[in-house]
Amino acid sequence: MIFIAEQWAMLGLLAAPAGAAQRLTARPYRALALSAGLAVAEMWTGLGLGYAVPKVPPSFGTLATATVVYAATYVRVPQRRRTGRAAL
């Protein structure tokens, strides 16, 4: 049963930072770097939360942090500039 929970944690840590980065920037390489930075920050925050509050599993802290960051991108998303080219 623990193995299944670890798989969900890995899926969440893979998808949430990438989704947040995609919502924050339209440039692929910038989104890649931002996603990696968000994943590292969310992992350390989750581990710190698990250390500070012993009843909280580190995987829950990590995914909770990732969820909060992703949800925060819906609060205010910067407006993307239009390039003037017609969309195909």
Side-chain angles (χ1 to χ4, degrees), residues 45-74:
T45 304
L47 290 174
L49 184 63
Y51 179 76
V53 183
K55 290 188 177 185
V56 174
S59 60
F60 175 79
T62 302
L63 289 181
T65 304
T67 303
V68 167
V69 170
Y70 182 71
T73 62
Y74 280 96

Side-chain angles (χ1 to χ4, degrees), residues 2-86:
I2 294 174
F3 184 67
I4 294 172
E6 290 174 0
Q7 288 178 344
W8 282 110
M10 288 300 295
L11 179 64
L13 190 58
L14 182 69
Q22 181 184 13
R23 289 194 45 83
L24 292 174
T25 182
R27 297 182 178 194
Y29 291 115
R30 187 177 290 174
L32 182 67
L34 182 60
S35 175
L38 285 173
V40 169
E42 291 164 359
M43 177 61 80
W44 279 106
T45 304
L47 290 174
L49 184 63
Y51 179 76
V53 183
K55 290 188 177 185
V56 174
S59 60
F60 175 79
T62 302
L63 289 181
T65 304
T67 303
V68 167
V69 170
Y70 182 71
T73 62
Y74 280 96
V75 173
R76 182 172 184 274
V77 177
Q79 297 295 323
R80 296 182 181 171
R81 294 182 187 172
R82 294 189 174 234
T83 60
R85 290 184 271 173

